[in-house]
mmCIF file of all heavy atoms in Angstrom:
data_model
loop_
_atom_site.group_PDB
_atom_site.id
_atom_site.type_symbol
_atom_site.label_atom_id
_atom_site.label_comp_id
_atom_site.label_asym_id
_atom_site.label_seq_id
_atom_site.Cartn_x
_atom_site.Cartn_y
_atom_site.Cartn_z
ATOM 1 N N MET A 16 1.196 -4.199 0.678
ATOM 2 C CA MET A 16 0.472 -3.778 1.811
ATOM 3 C C MET A 16 0.855 -2.267 2.023
ATOM 4 O O MET A 16 2.115 -1.994 2.066
ATOM 5 C CB MET A 16 0.856 -4.479 3.108
ATOM 6 C CG MET A 16 0.399 -5.958 3.095
ATOM 7 S SD MET A 16 0.929 -6.827 4.575
ATOM 8 C CE MET A 16 0.092 -5.880 5.812
ATOM 9 N N PHE A 18 0.944 1.303 4.128
ATOM 10 C CA PHE A 18 0.954 1.985 5.396
ATOM 11 C C PHE A 18 1.021 3.427 5.092
ATOM 12 O O PHE A 18 2.054 3.842 4.449
ATOM 13 C CB PHE A 18 2.086 1.481 6.290
ATOM 14 C CG PHE A 18 2.003 0.005 6.580
ATOM 15 C CD1 PHE A 18 2.526 -0.919 5.696
ATOM 16 C CD2 PHE A 18 1.450 -0.545 7.712
ATOM 17 C CE1 PHE A 18 2.532 -2.332 5.848
ATOM 18 C CE2 PHE A 18 1.339 -1.785 7.998
ATOM 19 C CZ PHE A 18 1.909 -2.783 6.977
ATOM 20 N N ILE A 114 13.007 -0.178 13.027
ATOM 21 C CA ILE A 114 12.004 0.626 13.475
ATOM 22 C C ILE A 114 12.285 0.851 15.002
ATOM 23 O O ILE A 114 12.448 -0.088 15.781
ATOM 24 C CB ILE A 114 10.613 0.011 13.315
ATOM 25 C CG1 ILE A 114 10.346 -0.159 11.777
ATOM 26 C CG2 ILE A 114 9.519 0.863 14.004
ATOM 27 C CD1 ILE A 114 9.003 -0.900 11.484
ATOM 28 N N TRP A 163 -0.685 4.300 9.733
ATOM 29 C CA TRP A 163 -1.851 3.457 9.995
ATOM 30 C C TRP A 163 -1.829 2.274 9.034
ATOM 31 O O TRP A 163 -1.490 2.616 7.874
ATOM 32 C CB TRP A 163 -3.137 4.223 9.814
ATOM 33 C CG TRP A 163 -4.311 3.334 10.186
ATOM 34 C CD1 TRP A 163 -5.189 2.861 9.265
ATOM 35 C CD2 TRP A 163 -4.708 2.892 11.479
ATOM 36 N NE1 TRP A 163 -6.170 2.115 9.959
ATOM 37 C CE2 TRP A 163 -5.938 2.136 11.247
ATOM 38 C CE3 TRP A 163 -4.264 3.068 12.757
ATOM 39 C CZ2 TRP A 163 -6.530 1.511 12.328
ATOM 40 C CZ3 TRP A 163 -4.888 2.436 13.772
ATOM 41 C CH2 TRP A 163 -5.976 1.700 13.576
ATOM 42 N N PRO A 164 -1.920 1.085 9.354
ATOM 43 C CA PRO A 164 -2.454 0.450 10.483
ATOM 44 C C PRO A 164 -1.627 0.774 11.869
ATOM 45 O O PRO A 164 -2.065 1.207 12.855
ATOM 46 C CB PRO A 164 -2.581 -0.973 10.263
ATOM 47 C CG PRO A 164 -2.431 -1.175 8.813
ATOM 48 C CD PRO A 164 -1.748 0.034 8.333
ATOM 49 N N SER A 165 -0.387 0.458 11.854
ATOM 50 C CA SER A 165 0.495 0.759 13.031
ATOM 51 C C SER A 165 1.931 0.383 12.686
ATOM 52 O O SER A 165 2.208 -0.319 11.799
ATOM 53 C CB SER A 165 0.062 0.009 14.199
ATOM 54 O OG SER A 165 0.463 -1.364 14.117
ATOM 55 N N PRO A 166 2.873 1.054 13.371
ATOM 56 C CA PRO A 166 4.264 0.692 13.180
ATOM 57 C C PRO A 166 4.575 -0.816 13.495
ATOM 58 O O PRO A 166 5.422 -1.431 12.918
ATOM 59 C CB PRO A 166 5.074 1.610 14.185
ATOM 60 C CG PRO A 166 4.193 2.797 14.391
ATOM 61 C CD PRO A 166 2.795 2.163 14.255
ATOM 62 N N ARG A 167 3.833 -1.335 14.469
ATOM 63 C CA ARG A 167 3.991 -2.774 14.856
ATOM 64 C C ARG A 167 3.590 -3.704 13.700
ATOM 65 O O ARG A 167 4.203 -4.659 13.280
ATOM 66 C CB ARG A 167 3.187 -3.072 16.076
ATOM 67 C CG ARG A 167 3.496 -4.339 16.649
ATOM 68 C CD ARG A 167 2.715 -4.656 17.925
ATOM 69 N NE ARG A 167 3.332 -3.802 18.899
ATOM 70 C CZ ARG A 167 2.718 -3.293 19.970
ATOM 71 N NH1 ARG A 167 1.589 -3.678 20.276
ATOM 72 N NH2 ARG A 167 3.385 -2.586 20.905
ATOM 73 N N ALA A 168 2.513 -3.341 12.919
ATOM 74 C CA ALA A 168 2.030 -4.028 11.798
ATOM 75 C C ALA A 168 3.087 -4.013 10.667
ATOM 76 O O ALA A 168 3.316 -4.912 9.967
ATOM 77 C CB ALA A 168 0.671 -3.732 11.366
ATOM 78 N N LEU A 169 3.623 -2.800 10.455
ATOM 79 C CA LEU A 169 4.633 -2.533 9.461
ATOM 80 C C LEU A 169 5.900 -3.418 9.825
ATOM 81 O O LEU A 169 6.422 -4.011 8.885
ATOM 82 C CB LEU A 169 5.022 -1.141 9.438
ATOM 83 C CG LEU A 169 6.110 -0.659 8.479
ATOM 84 C CD1 LEU A 169 5.830 -1.110 7.029
ATOM 85 C CD2 LEU A 169 6.518 0.795 8.629
ATOM 86 N N ARG A 170 6.293 -3.408 11.018
ATOM 87 C CA ARG A 170 7.372 -4.271 11.434
ATOM 88 C C ARG A 170 7.166 -5.696 11.059
ATOM 89 O O ARG A 170 8.103 -6.406 10.588
ATOM 90 C CB ARG A 170 7.708 -4.171 12.902
ATOM 91 C CG ARG A 170 8.937 -4.893 13.439
ATOM 92 C CD ARG A 170 9.074 -4.919 14.918
ATOM 93 N NE ARG A 170 8.911 -3.559 15.390
ATOM 94 C CZ ARG A 170 9.879 -2.900 15.932
ATOM 95 N NH1 ARG A 170 11.155 -3.330 15.979
ATOM 96 N NH2 ARG A 170 9.630 -1.661 16.447
ATOM 97 N N ARG A 171 5.957 -6.217 11.336
ATOM 98 C CA ARG A 171 5.689 -7.637 10.989
ATOM 99 C C ARG A 171 5.723 -7.884 9.547
ATOM 100 O O ARG A 171 6.239 -8.852 8.998
ATOM 101 C CB ARG A 171 4.333 -8.030 11.566
ATOM 102 C CG ARG A 171 4.261 -8.315 13.066
ATOM 103 C CD ARG A 171 3.061 -8.972 13.494
ATOM 104 N NE ARG A 171 1.781 -8.119 13.235
ATOM 105 C CZ ARG A 171 1.240 -7.298 14.029
ATOM 106 N NH1 ARG A 171 1.720 -7.119 15.236
ATOM 107 N NH2 ARG A 171 0.182 -6.602 13.731
ATOM 108 N N ALA A 172 5.108 -6.959 8.745
ATOM 109 C CA ALA A 172 5.175 -7.105 7.218
ATOM 110 C C ALA A 172 6.559 -7.097 6.686
ATOM 111 O O ALA A 172 6.974 -7.845 5.761
ATOM 112 C CB ALA A 172 4.361 -5.995 6.590
ATOM 113 N N ILE A 173 7.390 -6.209 7.219
ATOM 114 C CA ILE A 173 8.801 -6.160 6.846
ATOM 115 C C ILE A 173 9.550 -7.344 7.150
ATOM 116 O O ILE A 173 10.301 -7.987 6.332
ATOM 117 C CB ILE A 173 9.549 -4.923 7.290
ATOM 118 C CG1 ILE A 173 8.953 -3.637 6.633
ATOM 119 C CG2 ILE A 173 11.037 -4.863 7.164
ATOM 120 C CD1 ILE A 173 9.415 -2.347 7.322
ATOM 121 N N ASP A 174 9.409 -7.832 8.435
ATOM 122 C CA ASP A 174 10.100 -9.135 8.814
ATOM 123 C C ASP A 174 9.677 -10.298 8.025
ATOM 124 O O ASP A 174 10.519 -11.159 7.632
ATOM 125 C CB ASP A 174 9.715 -9.344 10.319
ATOM 126 C CG ASP A 174 10.398 -8.434 11.288
ATOM 127 O OD1 ASP A 174 11.348 -7.684 10.859
ATOM 128 O OD2 ASP A 174 9.989 -8.334 12.468
ATOM 129 N N ARG A 175 8.415 -10.402 7.600
ATOM 130 C CA ARG A 175 7.870 -11.407 6.774
ATOM 131 C C ARG A 175 8.681 -11.454 5.326
ATOM 132 O O ARG A 175 9.104 -12.429 4.870
ATOM 133 C CB ARG A 175 6.419 -11.246 6.511
ATOM 134 C CG ARG A 175 5.581 -12.478 6.690
ATOM 135 C CD ARG A 175 4.113 -12.377 6.496
ATOM 136 N NE ARG A 175 3.580 -11.019 6.349
ATOM 137 C CZ ARG A 175 2.889 -10.405 7.323
ATOM 138 N NH1 ARG A 175 2.752 -10.963 8.536
ATOM 139 N NH2 ARG A 175 2.428 -9.211 7.117
#
Side-chain angles (χ1 to χ4, degrees):
M16 293 179 60
F18 300 84
I114 297 176
W163 183 252
S165 71
R167 191 172 290 155
L169 175 62
R170 182 188 315 249
R171 284 192 301 267
I173 290 172
D174 289 345
R175 229 181 345 259

